[in-house]
Amino acid sequence: MPWYEKEDLEKAREMTAIEYLKRYEPQRLKPCRGLRHEYELTDHDSFKINEITSQWHWKSRDIGGISALNFLVHVNGMSFLDAVGFLLEQNPSYIPPNIQEREMAKKPFALPERAKDVNRIWNYLKHRGISRETFVYCVNQGILYESLPYHNVVFVGRDEKGQARYAFLRGIYDRGKPFKMEQSGSDKAYSFCVPPSGKCCRVAVYEAAIETLAHMTLEGNRTDKYRLSVGGIYAPKDGRRKKEEKPPLALEHFLENHPEVTQIEICTNNDGPGRYACETMKRTYRDRYEILINLPERIKNEKTYPYYELLQQKKIQILWKRVLDFFCAVVLTVLLSPVMLLIAAAIKLDTKGPIFYRQTRVTRYGMTYRIFKFRTMITGADKKGPLVTSSQDDRVTKVGKLLRKIRLDELPQLLNVLKGEMSFVGTRPEVEKYVDQYSE
């Protein structure tokens, strides 16, 4: 019986399932109807595999994977040792380097076919909040157009001679997972960049192409600086910094070719990865450039756009909800005012300190406000222990224990509802410290 070392097993796992199928069993692959880059097997119609990621799932048996090794064992029924032996013979890692380089060479870059107009992508982008002025400016610059046959938004990156060297495609349909991909052969050093209308010394840096247009719109369609998308950022999952941190390739290349630029405006998302990338760029360039930090409203970023779009579509319902909140808050404040006066007097007689407790909370769109509550703890309790309290917490006052038990300490929040900072029905407004953890 053959014996394989750990290194052999790692090499056997290098080949993906899609690579194996295309090389050795292409006749079994059949494109899935209506789905791009998705295939099924001719002999197992419940088996699906993605052409790009090689993720496969056999629904009828509820198993899946990525590697060719898993596919051979679980789908083809080959023994584990036989599958390893086969892959060690066929694995590309054993191909001589010069042949391997030729096989893995990049496809030549070519822009997707252009549509006759830009009507569909304009309809999509205006619903994403992009202004007409910003849209027209980018179209006229030749860096934004609509593709065929799927009518994707195409963001074009050009080199110093004006030649297209990069393209990012973004789908305009909301069905299923949003389509996003770089065009084959794209050179990330020439990522999407909105040029200024005149001379300037500043470049604003963004994570994604669409964010350059969104920020340009928010700034009144200004064309007084370069707006560069770096095509994604890197941040370690554990949040720990690496010894060697490389800045984005697109930014490095841009600065090399634009010596007139003296200011870098960092406009990454205000989430964990965005702040990590911001700090990395700040440390890398602060000795040579003036650094300006311009992170967007916290929480509102590319990942949460669908939520904000949904809110935009429900403006009428939200307005009626606000009217109902205000009416109910007025009525309850009047009816419960005698109770609140008695509670205020009891707090004053029980311990020294203010009647109300104020704390900063985070609400919709990442905005902050000061919440009202009846004070149920000794003055300065948040400095003498954790923000979270327990039933046996000795910082809670005698009156406070009773108020907490029947939830009457929350009554002053009617004032927050009247001011429009809270609603009777909605998510819990959280403390900033914990929102920072959720964002990451």
Side-chain angles (χ1 to χ4, degrees), residues 118 122 130-145 192-200 212-213 216-217 220-227:
V118 291
W122 163 237
I130 308 303
S131 70
R132 181 76 181 178
E133 291 82 356
T134 291
F135 176 77
V136 170
Y137 182 82
C138 292
V139 170
N140 290 340
Q141 292 290 326
I143 57 175
L144 187 69
Y145 73 91
F192 178 75
C193 181
V194 181
S197 55
K199 292 182 179 180
C200 77
T212 64
L213 308 189
M216 185 173 171
T217 297
N221 311 301
R222 283 164 38 198
T223 58
D224 56 348
K225 57 188 171 187
Y226 292 98
R227 297 178 187 271

Side-chain angles (χ1 to χ4, degrees), residues 114-275:
R114 187 185 296 262
K116 292 181 181 180
D117 56 47
V118 291
N119 294 338
R120 296 194 189 190
I121 66 168
W122 163 237
N123 189 55
Y124 167 74
L125 290 173
K126 74 179 180 182
H127 284 97
R128 295 297 302 265
I130 308 303
S131 70
R132 181 76 181 178
E133 291 82 356
T134 291
F135 176 77
V136 170
Y137 182 82
C138 292
V139 170
N140 290 340
Q141 292 290 326
I143 57 175
L144 187 69
Y145 73 91
E146 183 175 320
S147 71
L148 289 176
Y150 299 107
H151 302 281
N152 295 312
V153 184
V154 182
F155 299 90
V156 181
R158 299 186 178 277
D159 61 18
E160 292 72 33
K161 297 180 181 179
Q163 295 295 316
R165 301 284 297 277
Y166 173 91
F168 184 84
L169 282 66
R170 186 185 187 99
I172 64 173
Y173 302 109
D174 296 327
R175 296 189 301 271
K177 187 176 180 180
F179 171 73
K180 304 174 189 176
M181 69 170 287
E182 289 181 344
Q183 179 72 352
S184 297
S186 288
D187 187 343
K188 209 155 188 172
Y190 298 95
S191 191
F192 178 75
C193 181
V194 181
S197 55
K199 292 182 179 180
C200 77
C201 61
R202 181 183 298 185
V203 58
V205 183
Y206 305 86
E207 293 181 30
I210 197 169
E211 289 168 2
T212 64
L213 308 189
H215 197 231
M216 185 173 171
T217 297
L218 289 172
E219 292 192 327
N221 311 301
R222 283 164 38 198
T223 58
D224 56 348
K225 57 188 171 187
Y226 292 98
R227 297 178 187 271
L228 175 69
S229 162
V230 295
I233 55 172
Y234 163 77
K237 292 182 179 179
D238 58 6
R240 296 178 183 175
R241 299 201 170 276
K242 308 299 180 183
K243 291 183 179 179
E244 295 182 8
E245 292 178 328
K246 294 183 179 180
L249 174 62
L251 180 57
E252 280 282 88
H253 184 84
F254 176 90
L255 294 173
E256 286 176 8
N257 290 277
H258 292 82
E260 76 279 9
V261 170
T262 58
Q263 299 175 334
I264 300 175
E265 181 181 349
I266 303 175
C267 305
T268 53
N269 290 334
N270 199 354
D271 53 9
R275 291 193 292 272

Side-chain angles (χ1 to χ4, degrees), residues 218-361:
L218 289 172
E219 292 192 327
N221 311 301
R222 283 164 38 198
T223 58
D224 56 348
K225 57 188 171 187
Y226 292 98
R227 297 178 187 271
L228 175 69
S229 162
V230 295
I233 55 172
Y234 163 77
K237 292 182 179 179
D238 58 6
R240 296 178 183 175
R241 299 201 170 276
K242 308 299 180 183
K243 291 183 179 179
E244 295 182 8
E245 292 178 328
K246 294 183 179 180
L249 174 62
L251 180 57
E252 280 282 88
H253 184 84
F254 176 90
L255 294 173
E256 286 176 8
N257 290 277
H258 292 82
E260 76 279 9
V261 170
T262 58
Q263 299 175 334
I264 300 175
E265 181 181 349
I266 303 175
C267 305
T268 53
N269 290 334
N270 199 354
D271 53 9
R275 291 193 292 272
Y276 182 95
C278 175
E279 287 302 313
T280 299
M281 286 186 274
K282 183 179 177 182
R283 282 197 306 274
T284 303
Y285 296 114
R286 62 188 171 192
D287 295 332
R288 292 173 286 157
Y289 297 89
E290 180 184 350
I291 305 297
L292 298 95
I293 309 299
N294 190 4
L295 272 58
E297 218 173 71
R298 183 172 49 189
I299 299 175
K300 192 170 184 179
N301 55 55
E302 178 68 13
K303 301 178 186 67
T304 60
Y305 275 139
Y307 169 73
Y308 294 98
E309 288 178 353
L310 183 63
L311 290 180
Q312 289 297 315
Q313 295 169 12
K314 296 187 175 183
K315 282 184 176 180
I316 302 300
Q317 295 96 314
I318 292 172
L319 177 61
W320 278 111
K321 185 172 183 288
R322 172 63 190 139
V323 171
L324 184 62
D325 279 341
F326 185 82
F327 175 77
C328 292
V330 170
V331 172
L332 289 173
T333 300
V334 173
L335 293 176
L336 296 174
S337 56
V339 177
M340 289 192 279
L341 286 172
L342 288 174
I343 293 173
I347 291 172
K348 271 297 184 183
L349 293 171
D350 185 32
T351 56
K352 292 182 179 179
I355 294 171
F356 297 109
Y357 171 69
R358 305 292 306 279
Q359 187 182 52
T360 301
R361 296 290 181 95

